[in-house]
């Protein structure tokens, strides 16, 4: 009977462990109401031997104009399954300066130890916040930022970016086109060309939060810059993103890296092995987006063949999405299912006319240029 | 045909309004990924003509040891449908003081205007954080806190609380019993008795976050103190509370007030018309808990009578919970349904033997003393 | 100590009551995995003294071409908070007849007792399934259907409908326009005009499941027919409807009735006091839709006034949706907030320029004609 | 500009494709309200080269006492990501026989083609429903069931089971102990021993729906029978199971098979390579449960070492659950984190004292005997 009681007790929800000692004092824990805490795994298979790291290199805390203490950013990153983040406070903009210390290194320092403990790669960064145009630049993999330039007058623009370039930072142009009414704000200006030539510009945000900049995708491809996606989060990720939809995550950069280290991330960024990811949308260089798609989506061999009344046959297939990404496909050649929606970690049935050799699809949520979807083929 | 196209466009999700102008620049909004924002209504009917206001008088920001800028607390309160909150920073404890100004009035000031705009009643407060025992006290409806005492040595305890009492604050003892291993930490000490006699102690936290202090309920009843429930939130409400359960809300005080004003809240607190609410659990004085229950739960007239094989009849009833509260009932007298679980905004079927005059139930999630559930009767 | 242990036990989740006797036999209940069962309340306030009953008068079971035993329809109706349903099996169409009895009364009979016990009003009905055109008709409040006509040849159309008319049924035309490629399928044919004249046609489905028939709304208004919305459910409601969205319910008719009885429903149908409701969309006669809106949505008095830099003032208001309906508003006159989305049981903040007397809005999810939204005004 | 408009249109939710032709007729689709349909992937890694197939060999439709047409069972299996199901109608019990044909082969036949198309392995089965004791038996991989015995008198028990045995069926004893008040109902009776000796009993349901039969687990281990878990679903899976909890799935058998074929399933059942799975709970032979655990859970190399004040070091590790299973661990040896809860597809941080060689844990939701948890060790 005692053994059985032990069984009983073992079944009491772990959230409900009321210590006898405390009970005897009239204190009751209500842990059943607590949200369980864990690190979610965002499921994306390796791509040709590369790990797909989930990275957000543009975030804010109250050390610039964000609304949270830096620890909240570390907590969000851990719970959401990110591999790497950077806190990129505005160097030039400190709306809370009456209450909060202005120190370009501080928010990073506050969560350095916590990030190590949590197994999050914390990349040091800053947002160099020039007037538009040319606008804002993020510098990551930076050194000491104490001498970064707070004066945001135009004549200091070049010097401000060079501070980061001298530290061998990885520098990307933020949200081009975010102020559409300002002339020159969404153009490839000489200033940018000059930075590029001096190896002081390495990428562009093609997606920033809930905005996608299509011209930036073309510039990245044409000029050999790295495609970046970031959240630019100021409020809470939970507040801004509709997580009731299974496919919604904060906007980020998928980095195809040799291993899960800061050095490997930097190598992959330099090599341009990235895809910008905004929940339903992907943008990147064709090779990268195609490799990512192929790692995630598999067409299984036909499992069934149906004879039709007109003498033809239809073959049925299961198409599997073994990832937490989302894909929409539209047929471009071959006789088969016209539209396919692949939700995270799920499969669909599709069919093709017997005798077809392959089906081709546009992946209409995956951009490889401003005017071009990824196109994929499945051999039958 | 043009009219019809207008119909089409009107049906496009409002979240997807891409301005033509921006599109022409190659900028695309992804607003379908945004979380919709609105103020949720916590549905609780009026109780005998009183409005039931949802109040949380114990919260922290980074002006003491919380992890958010004050605006996040205002935002949470608005979205969660609270009527009133207080930011109650520790007077004596400032772990971020190297980076953040120490100013006992500041966090309140920062969201004063925002709260007015958002129609949230912002009550000024502070946490007087003495060593345990006697422990911590919240003072709300306070004045200027700049002269509050930061020295937390025991000899200053009395003076520290008196600073608030002199401002005619409403003062309650926080989480008694939170340090069960410290002698005297969960006892009605002479210090408390003295405060009470001097009209400098008006309530006790019977529920603080995920902890329920049963002795405190008895003290409130026996000594005429007001029953308080608070979140004592430091992190994010979303992070700590399991909102995937429909009945989970932050812990708070339900205040039965004549109207939705600061003055009416104060009057109700003084009069003790409160119930502490922790999602599934309620605690309060019997009269208050009973009135609240009766306002929420209705037994409808019998809609069906079934003849049983043994010649008896069974009558069926619908019992409605017209609130976002949650109730569990266990039969204590009468022949009828033995257990009833009333989820938020829902009803259940129950039955009673024909001829019964009434059924009585213990509401086993509603405490009116440490050892006593609310008991309710339904006339049949 | 024993008392305390009782407290402990009382806190163990009610779902986990493992009887000691069973445990001693090595049987363990896993009730924590069960879905809790209850009747959800769809929250819609009374409209000018009328109760708003939630009614679905078009459903199928396997006694025609549905996929469930009739008890599942009763269960769904109970859990979803419906007040009244009808099982409307096809009289002429029985794809499962090799395995299932053909009997036009049977599915209704099977759940008659269960519906009474569950406090669901079960209205007897049938779908008279003529070829298109004229298509299908639902008859509800019918008598014995055993002599209804299974022969679906055109020459029997009139007689088939008259069977129901002779029983004083309430008859409505189903999903006009459901076969857009058939000539005459979405027109007001002489056959319909004749039925109408003979008082054998009383309503039209303006919304059927996921289809809205805009012409039908105009016909209802112009000819004095009752606006009907139905699910026409064949599969499971859970399977077809995306309940992950808080505002999604099965398509139904909101009937404004004097009381919750079959007779009052019939009276309201005869009087045309209905609104068709498809989760986000409403359609009905202007008076009905306006009364419903006004019962649900309230503008509270201004709670805040803000001085602008240019000397003007802006007043802030809270607009409350005290219902489980959903509304989208677009400003048509006055200077104020341009777009408002009212989610179920929530409120929003809006603003108006000081001095404005009122704001008018189109409710763009509520149709009062095929080309006209409900327009509402709020006095300031 | 036209190109840009195309971009706009491409972003309109795919659920909202209103055909212009239909619009021109005044018909509007509301497909945004539809639940998206797809086949969920239950994520469980291969175990030592075996595929882990998700199988439910005990389900009912209205051809016995279930509440759905057989197609609903096929639909549920497809959407829930099951690999194999059996419809196991009671041979002796037909409560709907007045309306529904009694035919022991029919429900299987109805979904045979559909299952092939959907890539679901449909195993033919029946429930041989003898009085208790000995109770019910499921036979799967059966042949023509038309001559199965409907007479449920005790003297026919042996013959009834032998009908299936003669067809080389796989036979398992259902829910032993389901009627605890009947003498002999939860005992290893001579009847069972005789079946076992005649090779006419091959497994036992250790978990049936929401009931776990601990004695049955011991019998399986001691007598070399296969451990089975089933849903025994009569109503809808969606209705019975609380899918709001991420770890809840219908109760089923995890079959470790060489490939995804009926033959491989049969081979695995014969070989006893199964684990019974009820959302949070696992039960099986130690080898099987251990192999399954090891395939799912990985301890990563330590990523961080922390120096403690007392001179010791603590190492931090990430422990990953790469599956949709759920595990609770309690430390049994070594100095490290005491309790670990591994939610589906997530990881946790744990720590160990530097110098420890390994940590051992009881997996307290995984039974390998009625009185024994799975115990696992992690090398550090």
């Amino acid at each position: 009977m005692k053994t059985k009681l032990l069984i009983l007790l073992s079944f009491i929800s772990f959230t409900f462990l009321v210590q006898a000692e405390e009970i005897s004092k009239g204190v009751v824990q209500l842990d059943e109401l607590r949200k369980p805490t864990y690190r979610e795994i965002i499921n994306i298979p390796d791509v040709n031997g590369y790990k797909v790291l989930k990275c957000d290199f543009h975030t804010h805390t109250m050390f610039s104009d964000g609304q949270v203490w830096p620890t909240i950013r570390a907590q969000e990153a851990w719970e959401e399954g990110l591999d790497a983040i950077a806190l990129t406070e505005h160097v030039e903009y400190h709306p809370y300066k009456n209450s909060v210390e202005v120190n370009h290194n501080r928010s990073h320092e506050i969560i350095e130890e916590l990030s190590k403990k949590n197994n999050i790669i914390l990349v040091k960064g800053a947002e160099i916040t020039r007037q538009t145009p040319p606008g804002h630049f993020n510098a990551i993999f930076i050194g000491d930022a104490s001498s970064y330039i707070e004066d945001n007058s135009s004549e200091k623009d070049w010097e401000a970016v060079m501070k980061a370039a001298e530290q061998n930072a990885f520098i990307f142009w933020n949200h081009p086109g975010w102020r559409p009414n300002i002339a020159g704000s969404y153009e490839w200006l000489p200033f940018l060309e000059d930075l590029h030539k001096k190896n002081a510009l390495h990428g562009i945000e093609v997606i920033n939060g809930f905005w996608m900049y299509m011209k930036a995708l073309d510039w990245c491809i044409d000029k050999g810059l790295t495609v970046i996606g970031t959240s630019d989060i100021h409020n809470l990720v939970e507040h801004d993103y509709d997580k009731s939809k299974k496919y919604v995550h904060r906007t980020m950069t998928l980095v195809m890296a040799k291993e899960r280290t800061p050095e490997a991330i930097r190598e992959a960024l330099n090599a341009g092995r990235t895809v910008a990811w905004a929940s339903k949308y992907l943008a990147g260089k064709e090779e990268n987006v195609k490799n990512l798609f192929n790692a995630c989506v598999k067409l299984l061999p036909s499992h069934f063949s149906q004879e039709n009344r007109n003498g033809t046959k239809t073959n049925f297939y299961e198409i599997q999405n073994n990832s937490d990404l989302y894909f929409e496909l539209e047929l471009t050649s071959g006789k088969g299912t016209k539209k396919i929606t692949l939700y995270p970690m799920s499969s669909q049935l599709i069919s093709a006319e017997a005798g077809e050799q392959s089906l081709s699809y546009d992946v209409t949520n995956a951009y490889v240029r401003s005017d071009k979807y990824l196109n994929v083929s499945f051999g039958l």
Side-chain angles (χ1 to χ4, degrees), chain A:
Chain A
M1 183 65 190
K2 270 189 182 172
T3 328
K4 299 305 178 183
L5 190 61
L6 285 175
I7 293 178
L8 163 65
L9 291 174
S10 76
F11 274 87
I12 295 168
S13 170
F14 80 106
T15 54
F16 225 117
L17 295 161
V18 186
Q19 293 170 14
E21 195 184 1
E22 283 162 350
I23 280 294
S24 73
K25 293 179 189 293
V27 179
V28 183
Q29 278 194 50
L30 310 177
D31 280 350
E32 61 179 317
L33 309 175
R34 276 187 203 273
K35 189 171 178 179
T37 57
Y38 51 84
R39 176 165 164 75
E40 196 184 323
I41 294 173
I42 298 178
N43 203 19
I44 303 180
D46 288 357
V47 173
N48 297 341
Y50 293 112
K51 291 191 176 306
V52 181
L53 303 183
K54 296 95 191 177
C55 305
D56 184 5
F57 297 127
H58 193 166
T59 72
H60 294 273
T61 78
M62 6 125 346
F63 282 88
S64 56
D65 57 346
Q67 297 188 52
V68 298
W69 188 248
T71 47
I72 292 287
R73 293 286 173 242
Q75 171 182 296
E76 289 176 330
W78 189 78
E79 293 186 354
E80 294 177 35
L82 267 66
D83 293 290
I85 60 166
L87 305 184
T88 52
E89 314 297 355
H90 299 289
V91 174
E92 301 86 344
Y93 181 55
H94 304 96
Y96 311 148
K97 65 186 166 195
N98 289 341
S99 295
V100 180
E101 173 194 26
V102 173
N103 180 323
H104 306 150
N105 296 310
R106 185 69 80 233
S107 64
H108 181 86
E109 289 166 6
I110 287 171
I111 61 167
E112 225 169 349
E113 173 100 357
L114 176 61
S115 299
K116 278 181 191 154
K117 201 183 264 186
N118 283 357
N119 203 15
I120 300 289
I121 297 170
L122 181 67
V123 174
K124 191 164 181 185
E127 182 163 14
I128 299 164
T129 315
R130 315 311 298 173
Q131 295 173 51
T132 300
H136 305 179
F137 298 85
N138 261 15
I140 56 175
F141 294 99
I142 65 171
D144 179 1
S146 56
S147 67
Y148 277 36
I149 295 172
E150 295 180 19
D151 173 355
N152 79 338
S153 59
S154 294
E155 58 267 31
K156 296 277 191 183
D157 287 351
W158 183 262
E159 189 184 346
V161 179
M162 281 304 137
K163 284 280 182 186
E166 286 156 14
Q167 293 176 340
N168 192 30
F170 182 90
I171 301 172
F172 53 93
W173 186 23
N174 292 341
H175 45 68
W178 75 308
R179 293 247 165 113
N181 298 325
I182 298 178
S185 73
Y186 195 22
E187 285 169 32
W188 185 255
L189 299 173
F191 182 85
L192 297 158
E193 183 65 24
D194 291 348
L195 285 180
H196 187 32
K197 278 183 190 152
K198 294 283 188 193
N199 193 26
L201 183 63
H202 312 99
I204 317 181
E205 283 184 350
V206 173
I207 317 183
N208 172 294
F210 304 107
W211 296 86
M212 180 146 53
Y213 301 98
M214 303 304 273
K215 283 190 191 178
L217 178 56
D218 294 341
W219 288 328
C220 283
I221 292 165
D222 295 339
K223 298 171 196 299
L225 294 162
T226 298
V227 171
I228 300 289
T230 70
S231 70
D232 196 2
I233 192 77
H234 286 71
N235 202 306
L236 311 171
V237 176
E238 276 280 0
H239 175 269
D240 285 6
Y241 287 82
D242 185 1
K243 297 269 185 103
S244 77
K245 292 173 182 149
K246 204 183 161 191
Y247 53 75
V248 172
H249 301 258
R250 73 159 87 180
T251 301
M252 65 181 87
T253 307
L254 299 177
V255 175
M256 288 167 264
K258 288 172 186 164
E259 51 182 13
R260 193 181 185 280
T261 62
E263 296 74 23
I265 289 174
R266 180 63 193 265
E267 187 278 332
L269 289 176
N270 288 347
R273 285 198 309 279
T274 64
V275 174
W277 179 36
S279 299
K280 265 189 160 174
Y281 302 97
L282 296 166
K285 294 173 189 165
E286 183 158 14
E287 181 190 5
N288 292 324
V289 181
K290 179 164 272 179
N291 289 344
L292 179 64
F293 180 91
N294 287 336
C296 296
V297 178
K298 303 291 177 203
L299 188 75
L300 304 190
S302 179
H303 60 270
F304 183 64
S305 187
Q306 177 181 277
E307 309 235 355
N308 302 317
R309 290 180 188 173
N310 62 2
T312 63
K313 278 192 184 175
T314 303
N315 294 329
F316 287 80
Y317 302 82
E318 193 169 338
I319 180 168
Q320 286 189 331
N321 175 16
N322 292 294
S323 78
D324 283 331
L325 302 178
Y326 167 100
F327 300 102
E328 291 178 14
L329 283 68
E330 287 187 25
L331 188 69
T332 54
S333 82
K335 292 177 185 163
T337 297
K338 292 218 162 48
K339 279 166 178 284
I340 310 168
T341 304
L342 290 169
Y343 294 90
M345 291 303 292
S346 71
S347 65
Q348 296 284 13
L349 288 181
I350 69 168
S351 62
E353 202 168 290
E356 287 290 301
Q357 297 302 306
S358 71
L359 298 177
S360 295
Y361 287 90
D362 269 349
V363 185
T364 59
N365 65 315
Y367 290 84
V368 296
R369 282 201 82 92
S370 66
D371 57 357
K372 190 179 167 195
Y373 299 127
L374 175 68
N375 190 273
V376 294
S377 276
F378 298 102
L380 299 179

